[in-house]
């Protein structure tokens, strides 16, 4: 849904964002619980939860690890050619990035760099869910035996035609779909006199979803005695403990990822 700006409504995007998060919490709780269970199973079994996104869907990938309040077990995968948005025009510009993420076959090339474990999970983020690389990333991961979670806007995805070369939507290639609950325009606020809405909602929804999964997964891992070290600020745990946690977390991440990239082309 979208909100129309009126003279009495303060900060209309904030109001719509709050409503969006309420929709996500209300309608996607079961899917997020399942995703958390799968993530905990993978991490406890010494596996990885791989995360992939192109365009602005890189943002929730980076949110999972590494940053304060996060922990090893999540493997962020991004391609700079499809996620470098500040160089809008010229070399590395948006036209090129949008072209590259629509190239069939590229996902298989990306996947060929990794060896996936039997308990690994793949999470693919794409608000629109119809471009070649995210769709084929999910398809290729499933073909390799991974459980695939799609984080996408169902309304936005269904408002676009399937690319006949790609053959399906991201949500068709997933074992589990978590709906961003955003409108087909993504932007959520209509302004009188302006013929297009402004203020996208997919990023805040995606970031909320991954943090909900991160926290719930940590609860499950702690209950099972399998919780990895958490990156924590010195203001919380003291300078020495903070350094120890960083070293331990990065060491643990390196150990897990070494398996995934140690035999390139393993699939």
């Amino acid at each position: 849904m979208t909100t129309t700006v009126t003279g009495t409504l303060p900060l209309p995007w904030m109001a719509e964002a709050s409503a969006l998060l309420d929709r996500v919490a209300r309608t996607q709780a079961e899917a997020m619980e399942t995703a958390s269970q799968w993530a905990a199973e993978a991490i406890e079994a010494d596996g990885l939860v791989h995360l992939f996104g192109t365009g602005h869907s890189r943002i929730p990938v980076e949110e999972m690890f590494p940053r304060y309040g996060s922990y090893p077990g999540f493997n962020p995968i991004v391609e700079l050619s499809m996620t470098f948005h500040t160089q809008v025009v010229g070399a590395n510009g948006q036209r090129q990035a949008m072209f590259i993420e629509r190239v069939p076959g590229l996902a298989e090339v990306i996947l060929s760099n990794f060896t996936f474990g039997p308990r690994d999970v793949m999470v693919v983020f794409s608000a629109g869910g119809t471009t070649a690389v995210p769709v084929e990333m999910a398809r290729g991961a499933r073909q390799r035996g991974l459980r695939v979670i799609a984080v996408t806007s169902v309304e936005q995805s269904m408002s676009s035609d399937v690319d006949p070369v790609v053959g399906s939507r991201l949500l068709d290639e997933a074992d589990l779909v978590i709906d961003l609950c955003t409108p087909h325009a993504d932007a959520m606020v209509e302004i009188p006199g302006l013929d297009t809405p402004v203020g996208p909602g997919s990023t805040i929804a995606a970031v909320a979803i991954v943090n909900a999964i991160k926290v719930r997964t940590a609860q499950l891992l702690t209950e099972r005695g399998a919780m990895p070290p958490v990156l924590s600020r010195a203001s919380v745990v003291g300078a020495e403990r903070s350094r120890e946690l960083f070293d331990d977390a990065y060491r643990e991440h390196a150990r897990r990822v070494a398996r995934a990239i140690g035999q390139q082309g393993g699939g």
Side-chain angles (χ1 to χ4, degrees):
M1 62 177 292
T2 57
T3 291
T4 300
V5 174
T6 69
T8 59
L9 180 64
L11 300 174
W13 187 87
M14 291 289 193
E16 188 56 38
S18 178
L20 172 62
L21 294 180
D22 286 343
R23 287 197 299 277
V24 171
R26 185 176 66 254
T27 65
Q28 303 305 303
E30 184 176 348
M32 289 188 287
E33 174 64 21
T34 300
S36 302
Q37 294 284 349
W38 290 2
E41 290 169 11
I43 296 171
E44 183 182 18
D46 207 30
L48 286 163
V49 180
H50 306 275
L51 309 131
F52 180 81
T54 66
H56 288 91
S57 292
R58 171 182 180 159
I59 297 170
V61 172
E62 291 192 354
E63 186 73 11
M64 285 303 262
F65 188 83
R67 64 164 304 165
Y68 286 125
S70 64
Y71 49 91
F74 297 98
N75 179 35
I77 303 172
V78 297
E79 292 284 323
L80 189 59
S81 59
M82 292 178 280
T83 59
F84 185 44
H85 288 314
T86 55
Q87 192 76 14
V88 180
V89 296
N92 301 301
Q94 279 295 98
R95 291 184 179 90
Q96 298 94 301
M98 294 175 69
F99 176 86
I100 292 168
E101 71 177 358
R102 289 170 169 78
V103 175
L106 179 56
E108 276 297 313
V109 177
I110 299 169
L111 287 164
S112 70
N113 287 280
F114 299 93
T115 300
F116 298 100
R119 302 299 293 273
D120 285 3
V121 175
M122 175 69 74
V123 186
V124 180
F125 300 86
S126 175
T130 57
T131 49
V133 176
V135 174
E136 293 182 358
M137 196 76 176
R139 183 184 299 154
R142 285 183 91 190
Q143 291 171 348
R144 289 163 169 80
L146 279 70
R147 289 187 287 192
V148 173
I149 301 168
V151 182
T152 187
S153 169
V154 173
E155 184 176 339
Q156 187 173 340
S157 182
M158 297 306 294
S159 70
S160 301
D161 294 330
V162 172
D163 184 337
V165 177
V166 179
S168 61
R169 297 178 172 87
L170 173 58
L171 56 82
D172 299 320
E173 301 292 346
D175 300 291
L176 176 69
V177 175
I178 303 178
D179 188 2
L180 294 166
C181 299
T182 47
H184 66 88
D186 199 341
M188 301 187 297
V189 180
E190 295 179 351
I191 298 174
L194 183 63
D195 63 352
T196 56
V198 295
S202 57
T203 297
I204 190 173
V207 167
I209 287 167
V210 295
N211 275 292
I213 292 170
K214 182 192 299 180
V215 170
R216 178 58 178 148
T217 300
Q219 289 178 309
L220 294 168
L221 289 170
T222 300
E223 290 169 2
R224 300 170 188 181
M227 184 64 195
V230 179
L231 299 175
S232 301
R233 296 188 74 238
S235 62
V236 178
V237 296
E240 183 176 354
R241 177 62 174 153
S242 178
R243 285 192 296 270
E244 290 175 354
L245 287 170
F246 268 74
D247 287 343
D248 290 346
Y250 290 159
R251 190 179 300 113
E252 175 64 11
H253 178 73
R255 185 188 68 80
R256 290 176 184 252
V257 172
R259 182 266 297 163
I261 62 175
Q263 303 177 35
Q264 293 192 18

